[in-house]
Amino acid sequence: MSAGRQICGAVKLIETITGPAGLGRVVLWDVMMTNGKGMKQGAVAAVVMAASLASGAALAQSPLAVFDNLFTGSITQPSRPAAPQRAAVTPASLPAGAQPWSGEDGASGHPLMTASAIRESAANFDNCIASLWPEAARRGITEANFQRFTAGLSPDLRIMDLMDSQPEFTKAIWDYLDILVNDNRMAKGREVLAKYKPQFDAAEQAFGVDRYIIASIWGIESNYSTQIGDRSVLNSTATLACIGRRQAYFRDEFLSALEILNRGDLRPEQMRGSWAGAFGPTQFMPTAFKRYAIDGDGDGRRDVVDNPTDLIFSTANNLKKDGWQPGQSWGYEVVVPQGFNYMLADRGRAMPLGQWEQMGLRRANGQPFPRASDKAYLLAPAGAEGPGFLMLQNYRVIMRYNPAEAYALAIGHFADRLRGGQPFVQAWPRHERVLSRTERLELQQLLAQRGFYRGTPDGQFGGETRQALRSFQAAIGAPADGFATAEMLERLRGR
C-alpha cells in the first residue's frame, strides 16, 4: 500500500464524516481496523482519525514511503529564480475562517514537529520553495509558471495541528456506516447515475469497472461534489513539503501539483481540497492524478474537478489499474456459526468460497454464492457479535483506493444499495461502546504486561494489537475475534 494512498485515505475519511478538512475532530473505528501501526495522520495514519478515520492523526498505520519519481533524466538546470515574495495569508491561500496554529508541539513527538522546529521551518519557507526550482525544471515546469504559481504561497501552520492530532474518542463502524449510507445520499446518487448515464455506460465498457462503485466513491468522498475541501492544494502541499515530518513525501506531491497546473489540466482555483492535498469529487492526490487521470472527452485537458466525463473515466481507470475484476462483487455478508475459530478471520487467509461454506458460513440473505471457486477472506469488523463478511479481490482494490476497512465496507455497501440492494441483514452490537484513546492505551499496556503485545503502546490499534488481543482472548476461552470491548479491558484489568 502506498504512503500516498494511506495519507489521502485518512484525510478523505475525516472530511467525509465532518465536511471539509479541519472542521471537525472525531476518530473513526477504522483506526482499529487497518493494518500497521497507526500514526494518525499521514495516511489513515494514524489511523483514521480526526474527523474521519485516519484522521489527521490517524493516517499512518504503516511507515510512509515517498512515491517513486515519475520523471527521470538529466537536464541542464536553469538558474534558480529569486525566492518568491512572501504574500500575506489571504483567502486565496487559506480557507476563510481557518483556525490559527496552536503554537504547541505536535503529539507525535517527532523532532520536526516541535513548536520551535515548526517556527524555524516556517521562517525559511520562501527559501525552501525556491530550492525546489531545479527539480521543477527537470519535470518540465517553465520558470515563468514556477514563479507565477509559487509567488503567493504562505505556510499554513494549522496543518501541523491537523497532522499530529490524536482525538480521544472514535466512532464505531455502525455509526460510520449510518452517516455515509443514508437515504439522502442514495437519492442523490441515483440522480447522478441517471444524469450521467452515457458517461457511466462508456466508462463501464472501456474499463470494466462497476458504475455503482464509481458513483459510491463519488458520493462518499465528497457527497457528490458538495464537500470537496476548501484549502489550496498547492499551498497545503507546499507547507507540508517545507515544514513538518513528511517533507520528502510532500515535495513530490507539491511538484506534481505544479506539473498539473503547468500542463493546463486544471486551474489553481480548481485545486482546492484537504489539508493533505486530495482534491476533486473523488479526491485525487496530485501524484495519483498523474498516474490515473484521463481526458475522457478529448478536449485536451484532464479535468477531474468540473468535467464529469473526465472524473468518471479517471476514477474507473484508477480502479482498473489497481486490479479491479470485471463482473465480480466486492464481497458478501455472511452468518458465522457459533463456536467458529476467529483466528481464521485474517486478510492473509484467503480461501475459496466453497471452503468457507464447508466451515459453516452462509450468505446472510440465504442466497448461494455465485462462484464457489472465488477466493475471499473473512472480515469480522465488530467481532463475534456482529455480522461477518467474505471479502473478494475487488474489496482489496477499494482498499487500495483508501486503506481503511470501514471505508471500503461503506463503499461496497453503498454501491449495492444504489443498485437496489437491501441493508445488511444482521444487527450490529450497538450496545458496545468504542474505547477512548486513553482506554486503548491502557489495553495495549496490559497486553504488553501479560506478554501478548510487543509493540510500543500508543493508543492506536493496528494488526499487531488485534493479534495480541486475539491471543489473550484465546487464552481465556473467549472468541478470538480481536474486537476491543469494555468487557475485554475489564478482563485484562483482572476484574
Side-chain angles (χ1 to χ4, degrees):
M1 179 70 58
S2 73
R5 275 294 181 210
Q6 289 180 314
I7 294 180
C8 180
V11 177
K12 287 178 179 179
L13 283 173
I14 296 176
E15 295 177 350
T16 298
I17 298 293
T18 61
L23 297 184
R25 271 194 135 22
V26 196
V27 177
L28 284 187
W29 163 86
D30 223 57
V31 171
M32 298 179 267
M33 290 305 299
T34 44
N35 286 330
K37 235 4 198 167
M39 185 187 99
K40 244 189 173 181
Q41 72 207 79
V44 165
V47 194
V48 224
M49 300 186 161
S52 129
L53 232 194
S55 76
L59 289 157
Q61 283 203 303
S62 61
L64 294 179
V66 181
F67 283 159
D68 290 335
N69 192 333
L70 300 181
F71 292 80
T72 58
S74 77
I75 297 179
T76 301
Q77 297 182 4
S79 59
R80 178 178 297 181
Q85 293 296 312
R86 176 173 296 184
V89 176
T90 66
S93 57
L94 300 185
Q99 299 180 35
W101 173 47
S102 68
E104 300 176 353
D105 292 347
S108 66
H110 193 285
L112 291 178
M113 295 300 292
T114 64
S116 60
I118 290 170
R119 290 191 181 94
E120 182 178 351
S121 295
N124 191 54
F125 181 77
D126 290 346
N127 291 330
C128 174
I129 294 299
S131 73
L132 298 176
W133 161 240
E135 175 60 21
R138 281 193 290 272
R139 296 181 179 220
I141 298 167
T142 67
E143 184 170 350
N145 277 340
F146 183 85
Q147 292 282 19
R148 172 190 171 196
F149 294 129
T150 63
L153 299 178
S154 295
D156 179 0
L157 298 186
R158 170 61 178 163
I159 290 175
M160 298 300 107
D161 290 332
L162 298 175
M163 174 177 272
D164 259 21
S165 101
Q166 294 189 355
E168 178 68 13
F169 299 100
T170 68
K171 277 192 173 296
I173 185 171
W174 46 88
D175 293 328
Y176 180 51
L177 292 170
D178 288 346
I179 291 170
L180 295 182
V181 185
N182 57 58
D183 290 342
N184 288 337
R185 202 182 303 259
M186 281 190 286
K188 181 61 176 176
R190 292 184 179 117
E191 290 176 8
V192 165
L193 283 161
K195 182 177 182 179
Y196 300 112
K197 183 179 184 301
Q199 290 91 333
F200 281 111
D201 287 344
E204 228 171 30
Q205 183 175 4
F207 302 99
V209 176
D210 178 13
R211 70 184 63 206
Y212 297 102
I213 288 290
I214 299 171
S216 178
I217 290 173
W218 188 349
I220 285 180
E221 290 290 5
S222 67
N223 198 14
Y224 297 107
S225 304
T226 62
Q227 295 176 347
I228 295 178
D230 57 358
R231 275 185 158 82
S232 161
V233 169
L234 197 62
N235 203 76
S236 293
T237 54
T239 297
L240 291 160
C242 293
I243 306 169
R245 56 189 170 81
R246 293 296 171 199
Q247 294 178 36
Y249 164 74
F250 278 103
R251 284 185 189 126
D252 194 16
E253 295 297 342
F254 171 65
L255 290 165
S256 294
L258 285 175
E259 287 182 78
I260 294 168
L261 296 172
N262 183 75
R263 187 180 183 277
D265 285 310
L266 296 169
R267 301 180 304 277
E269 61 269 23
Q270 290 180 289
M271 294 186 68
R272 301 194 74 81
S274 73
W275 63 260
F279 64 92
T282 57
Q283 296 287 278
F284 280 94
M285 291 293 284
T287 50
F289 177 97
K290 285 169 50 180
R291 287 195 300 275
Y292 304 120
I294 294 283
D295 176 11
D297 60 2
D299 67 355
R301 298 174 62 233
R302 297 174 296 173
D303 181 358
V304 300
V305 177
D306 296 318
N307 185 319
T309 302
D310 292 358
L311 169 68
I312 293 168
F313 275 50
S314 298
T315 306
N317 186 46
N318 186 335
L319 294 168
K320 178 184 178 180
K321 287 190 173 181
D322 278 347
W324 186 267
Q325 300 296 304
Q328 188 183 83
S329 176
W330 56 273
Y332 305 101
E333 182 189 359
V334 294
V335 177
V336 181
Q338 291 289 325
F340 183 80
N341 177 14
Y342 278 91
M343 296 296 280
L344 297 174
D346 187 289
R347 196 182 305 179
R349 290 178 177 269
M351 296 185 289
L353 293 172
Q355 190 169 342
W356 288 110
E357 280 191 296
Q358 292 174 10
M359 295 180 185
L361 278 70
R362 297 289 185 272
R363 288 188 67 180
N365 62 8
Q367 297 178 6
F369 293 112
R371 292 180 298 275
S373 60
D374 286 347
K375 288 190 174 182
Y377 71 90
L378 177 62
L379 175 68
E385 292 190 47
F389 300 90
L390 286 176
M391 300 309 197
L392 303 175
Q393 166 64 15
N394 286 340
Y395 181 81
R396 296 180 187 267
V397 173
I398 300 170
M399 287 277 291
R400 293 189 186 106
Y401 198 93
N402 186 318
E405 288 177 347
Y407 169 90
L409 183 59
I411 292 292
H413 183 48
F414 186 41
D416 286 350
R417 296 300 307 279
L418 287 174
R419 84 175 85 249
Q422 297 301 307
F424 290 134
V425 174
Q426 300 165 93
W428 296 98
R430 294 178 182 270
H431 61 281
E432 295 286 1
R433 67 173 180 82
V434 179
L435 300 183
S436 69
R437 182 176 180 276
T438 300
E439 290 174 320
R440 296 196 303 273
L441 180 62
E442 181 187 1
L443 185 142
Q444 289 175 320
Q445 292 169 336
L446 293 172
L447 286 171
Q449 290 173 15
R450 292 172 177 259
F452 294 105
Y453 182 66
R454 293 178 174 78
T456 301
D458 56 8
Q460 300 166 13
F461 284 7
E464 190 174 0
T465 301
R466 277 194 286 170
Q467 186 55 47
L469 181 56
R470 282 177 168 183
S471 297
F472 170 71
Q473 290 170 322
I476 63 174
D481 56 18
F483 187 53
T485 63
E487 179 185 357
M488 280 299 108
L489 179 57
E490 289 297 306
R491 295 290 294 273
L492 280 165
R493 288 168 174 165
R495 299 174 187 170

